[in-house]
Every structure is written in structure tokens, then in C-alpha cells.
Amino acid sequence: MRLLAAVLAAMVVLTCGACSTGQRVDLGQDSGNLIAAISGEPDQLDPHKTSAYFSFEVLENVYDTLVEPDADLNMRPALAESWETSPDQLVWTFRLRPGVTFHDGSPLTADDVVYSYRRIIDEELTNVDKFSAITYVSATDDLTVRITLARPTPNLLTNLGGFKGMAIVQRANVEDGQIATHPIGTGPFSFVGQKSGDSITLRANDRYWGGAPQVPGVTYRFISEPSTALSALQAGEVDWTDAVPPQRVTQLRNDDSLHLAQTPSNDYWYLALNLARPPWNDVRVRQAVAYAIDRPSIVQATSYGTAQANQLAIPEGNPWFVPYDRYSQNLDKARALLQEAGVTPSTMDLLVTTEYPQTVTAAQVIADNLAPLGITANIRTVDFATWLDEQNSGRFDMLMMGWLGNIDPDDFYYAQHHTDGTSNAQKFSDPRVDALLDAGRTETDQQARKEDYAQAATLIADEVSYLYLYNPAVLQAWTPGLSGYEARRDKAIRFRDAVLDSGGADR
């Protein structure tokens, strides 16, 4: 994502006067909009090319997918009202809802679905790995899409609708070059405009197939400092924010001026060592680093205890959870492993980004953790665009980032840990893991599939492809006058059912 996922693309950190509390956006004709404070500005608004969470906070409300996850992350109808599979599970046929239109009034047809999927596949865009099993996509009539697979794909629905990176786009919007700056979707809100460094405005789509939204529009303000966003919410200048300072959570639970949501998340934050660089290509050296890390301290420093320390990707309570506790901090084991490897690393380039302040905070704890091993962590703090470039170019010893919106294990394990994974920046390669991840993609027996992923997860941690740190909580807050909205485990920000009490401050 989802990288942050994972989950991600070039963005600009915003700390400007226009984003400070006390200055409400002049919405003009968009008076009455729900005002949402998000922590950064989208890099672009093409759902097939961006991987930035800030972009998807907006795009969640602009685009639709064939299917979509409900609150329990089970896949439900969206643009497709029904579907069926062949007995061998190699052909899936989707029936589209009749009467759906794009925001410019043009009708949605099966050709739009075919175009969207072929674009991702043919141009090898961000999420092309999710379509690896697809051999053919066709429109059998205006409202019917047929997808032919090379192998059974038990998580096809999740691949098609797990997040808006798989959105159905309009061909003309792509071909005229406007999709990145003026997207046209079928979602509950249409794009109105963007003020660089300040805000993005959406307007309610009265023709939305799921029913017209109850608010006239949504304005996203870019407020990079959580304390500023919270102050704006408490002052009635914004209606919703996910920029909640974790150190304030205990206090905010008793604050009647807002509603606080703390929801368990499937997201995770991790460290990755560059296996293309010695000595990190030696598993013993990576394991030494793993034994040096103090997760509880990192959790406290980054989230004030609101997150859950974890040595694997998936938290307890999730059906894919696997117990694992090999790497509790043990400096004696760490030193022994370095001695066995015959190396004494003295410095480490630790790449973090200002766009996600928790990476900077965690890096300071990690540097302290590594110091007793004689390793000096040189923390390199860059903007996110530079972080992405450095990651993709392999210019790091270790980096920290997160992966967002996870539903099915194939969403995160394959891309990040398969030899051919599209997000395997650490260059991990283990034929045992590859075989298990390949099997998990085709195994239709649910219990056997769980066993495949449990083994893969254990090997990934044993071999330190990633050094997992914690699962954060979803922290969001909104005005008591906002109803019909719920915080979700996958962090999908959906305002289509939101209702805003008109008795609030002038907007």
C-alpha cells in the first residue's frame, strides 16, 4: 500500500502557515463540506500508479472496485453485483450493476473494467503482481466481465477489491493525461480541485449507485503536525482527523469535545536490511541485529503504548496470526552471532523519512540498541520522494517503513519476500519461502493454505528478511456532530455514509 505501505510514492512534507490552527479553509461554494485533516499531500491521484497512503485517503471516496471489503474485511459486491466461478475455478464471470456512471455522466461498461485491468497488466503498474494469475480479461457484453486464470486463485476477490489501487478508471481520463491531477471515477464523491500545499476538495456524487452521500462534499486539509490537527478539531475548524498524537490518547478518552476511535489494525512497521550489501547478506549478522532490538521501547517511543509489539506481520486476533517470539532482546546472543560470522560492523546507514515521523523516532531507539554491539547507526532522514528513490536503488543498509491495509497474506508476503516480489527492496531470496508463497497463491483448501503461510512467515522471520516491530492501532478522532462514519481495520477512509450535524460552526 499499500505501502505505506508499503505502503508509496513521492510526497511533499507540509508545514505552512495555511495549515495552522485558527485558519479555516475558505470553501466558497463548497460551504457545508466535511473537513478532514490528513497528515500530508497526495503525490498524485492516479490509483494505478500511486502507492501513497495520503493519496488513497482521497481516492477511497473517488473510485470504486468490482468488489470491496466490508467492516470485517470480507469481500462484498461493489461495481459487480454478482459473480460465479467455473468448476475448475479458472474462469470467473462478473455481472456489473446496470446504470452506473462516471462523474462526467458517461456510462460504466465492461470495457472500462477490461481497460483498467489491461492497463495495470500491460504497463506493469504498481500492483501488477496481484494479476499474475490472469491470462485473459474480456467483456462478453456491456455488463459482463470474464476473467480467465492460469491457476486457481483463492484470493482473487481480495486482489480485485482489497483497496483502491485496483480501481476501475475511465479510459478517456487516462488518455487525456488528466487522471493524476483530475481523476474521474464512479465513487461517491467527484474531484473538484486541489490547492497545492493546502487542500483537496471533493463534491458529492448525487448519481452514486450506492445512494447520494449525506454531506455536500469533503475538503481534505494537509496538516503535517498531529498536535496542530488535533487543536483544529477541538476548535471546530475541522471535523475529522487521523493525525492523533498517541501521547494524548489517554487524555482524549475523557474529552467530550470529540469522539476518539482506537481500532486494532492489520498494518505493520518493519526494518529491512539490505541483503545485497555485506555484511548484511550473512543471516547471522541480520539475526544479531534482530536480537539487539528492544521492541517494547520502540512501541513506547513511537506510539506511547497504543501499538502492539510483534515479531511477525499479523497481530493476534487475526485469522492468519502465528505465535512467534524468537527475537526478544538478547545482546549476548547478538554478540555471539557476530563473532560466529567473523565480522565486526562498525557503522550502518539507517534510512528513514520525515513523512512518517515514527520512523525517525524509532531510529533513535534502534541506534541506542545497536550501540552496545559496536555499531553506529547513522540516521539518514530524508523526504519521502528521496526515501523511495534510495530504497528502489538499494542505497541503504537498513530502512524502516510500514505496510498498510492488509487483508490476505498474499497481499504482503509475496510482494515483499518472494524472490520475484515487486516490493522486495531488501533482495531476499529463499527457495523454501518462494515455494510456500507460490503454493499459498493456488491452495484452495483453507487449512492447508494457513499452514503454507504459517511456515513461510516463520522462515521469513528466522532469516530476517524483515525485522518486524509492531502493529499500530488505527487512531482517528472526529467531532460529535459527525455520525455514520466508522474507523476500519484496513484504514479505508469512507465518508459516503457520513452525516454532519449542520448545527456546528459556520463552514
Side-chain angles (χ1 to χ4, degrees):
M1 133 171 95
R2 16 61 349 342
L3 259 142
L4 250 211
V7 155
L8 307 171
M11 295 178 279
V12 180
V13 176
L14 303 161
T15 51
C16 59
C19 297
S20 63
T21 183
Q23 297 186 13
R24 196 170 187 89
V25 175
D26 181 7
L27 300 180
Q29 65 177 337
D30 297 307
S31 177
N33 278 10
L34 186 158
I35 304 178
I38 61 177
S39 298
E41 183 168 10
D43 65 313
Q44 60 162 302
L45 297 173
D46 183 341
H48 294 170
K49 291 188 175 181
T50 186
S51 56
Y53 177 62
F54 299 143
S55 296
F56 286 114
E57 288 190 272
V58 176
L59 296 176
E60 179 69 33
N61 296 283
V62 174
Y63 283 102
D64 291 312
T65 44
L66 276 191
V67 294
E68 65 180 13
D70 63 15
D72 295 321
L73 306 187
N74 297 311
M75 305 310 295
R76 298 289 185 243
L79 290 178
E81 62 180 4
S82 64
W83 55 88
E84 59 185 20
T85 61
S86 61
D88 62 3
Q89 298 191 46
L90 295 181
V91 179
W92 292 60
T93 304
F94 294 86
R95 186 70 179 171
L96 303 184
R97 295 178 186 276
V100 177
T101 61
F102 285 99
H103 295 145
D104 63 356
S106 60
L108 170 79
T109 70
D111 287 337
D112 296 302
V113 178
V114 173
Y115 172 78
S116 297
Y117 292 168
R118 291 307 322 176
R119 180 186 187 225
I120 294 172
I121 294 168
D122 295 343
E123 298 182 28
E124 298 185 355
L125 300 181
T126 303
N127 298 291
V128 66
D129 61 293
K130 294 185 180 300
F131 287 163
S132 63
I134 294 178
T135 59
Y136 194 64
V137 185
S138 63
T140 60
D141 61 44
D142 283 350
L143 293 177
T144 307
V145 176
R146 180 172 295 162
I147 297 177
T148 304
L149 306 173
R151 59 182 183 269
T153 306
N155 62 323
L156 180 66
L157 293 180
T158 301
N159 287 345
L160 297 179
F163 81 117
K164 292 302 184 288
M166 321 309 291
I168 305 307
V169 302
Q170 184 192 62
R171 182 172 192 154
N173 192 218
V174 175
E175 293 180 343
D176 67 12
Q178 296 296 305
I179 189 170
T181 57
H182 197 107
I184 296 175
T186 60
F189 295 90
S190 62
F191 179 84
V192 174
Q194 179 169 358
K195 297 178 182 179
S196 180
D198 183 80
S199 61
I200 283 177
T201 298
L202 308 181
R203 185 170 299 143
N205 175 13
D206 292 337
R207 295 174 297 192
Y208 183 54
W209 57 264
Q214 298 298 303
V215 294
V218 180
T219 296
Y220 296 86
R221 289 182 58 186
F222 314 139
I223 304 180
S224 61
E225 175 55 49
S227 61
T228 304
L230 179 61
S231 295
L233 175 65
Q234 292 174 314
E237 297 158 9
V238 302
D239 304 303
W240 175 97
T241 186
D242 61 352
V244 178
Q247 65 268 32
R248 300 283 301 279
V249 166
T250 301
Q251 173 195 3
L252 293 175
R253 288 195 184 105
N254 299 315
D255 188 337
D256 293 334
S257 70
L258 54 80
H259 176 86
L260 176 71
Q262 182 176 343
T263 305
S265 167
N266 290 339
D267 302 346
Y268 56 82
W269 289 82
Y270 63 88
L271 298 171
L273 287 155
N274 190 347
L275 277 68
R277 285 186 176 183
W280 320 116
N281 58 336
D282 188 321
V283 66
R284 294 167 296 185
V285 178
R286 300 196 302 275
Q287 289 171 338
V289 173
Y291 278 118
I293 299 302
D294 180 6
R295 285 178 182 77
S297 294
I298 294 172
V299 167
Q300 186 60 32
T302 57
S303 72
Y304 290 82
T306 60
Q308 179 180 332
N310 198 356
Q311 296 187 32
L312 294 184
I314 300 304
E316 191 169 4
N318 184 289
W320 300 99
F321 172 72
V322 178
Y324 186 94
D325 62 356
R326 174 173 180 173
Y327 291 116
S328 298
Q329 189 180 40
N330 189 323
L331 292 176
D332 290 337
K333 281 190 177 181
R335 294 187 183 97
L337 283 163
L338 290 177
Q339 184 176 8
E340 181 183 330
V343 298
T344 54
S346 59
T347 61
M348 169 186 286
D349 171 58
L350 175 50
L351 181 66
V352 295
T353 173
T354 50
E355 213 75 14
Y356 296 98
Q358 57 269 61
T359 66
V360 180
T361 302
Q364 295 163 349
V365 177
I366 292 162
D368 288 342
N369 293 163
L370 295 175
L373 301 183
I375 300 174
T376 299
N378 296 318
I379 301 172
R380 186 155 55 101
T381 306
V382 298
D383 64 81
F384 192 60
T386 302
W387 186 97
L388 279 170
D389 185 59
E390 296 294 274
Q391 175 204 236
N392 295 336
S393 302
R395 292 191 291 265
F396 65 92
D397 288 330
M398 182 162 69
L399 55 76
M400 180 179 174
M401 190 41 69
W403 197 259
L404 306 181
N406 308 304
I407 298 176
D408 186 272
D410 186 63
D411 293 346
F412 41 95
Y413 285 137
Y414 193 97
Q416 295 180 318
H417 306 290
H418 193 282
T419 299
D420 299 324
T422 55
S423 297
N424 187 354
Q426 74 278 17
K427 305 302 181 186
F428 176 74
S429 181
D430 187 319
R432 299 170 299 171
V433 173
D434 288 351
L436 288 164
L437 296 183
D438 287 336
R441 285 194 148 186
T442 60
E443 179 57 69
T444 56
D445 181 273
Q446 186 75 348
Q447 186 56 44
R449 194 165 184 253
K450 284 187 176 183
E451 291 172 3
D452 287 339
Y453 283 115
Q455 292 179 55
T458 300
L459 285 170
I460 287 166
D462 284 348
E463 300 295 308
V464 198
S465 174
Y466 274 5
L467 204 168
Y468 295 100
L469 298 174
Y470 60 86
N471 303 107
V474 177
L475 296 176
Q476 299 175 4
W478 55 87
T479 174
L482 175 62
S483 59
Y485 173 83
E486 63 178 356
R488 297 167 51 93
R489 292 182 63 132
D490 60 355
K491 298 183 72 173
I493 310 302
R494 296 182 184 173
F495 289 126
R496 57 185 151 185
D497 296 321
V499 178
L500 194 60
D501 184 355
S502 59
D506 292 339
R507 302 181 188 284

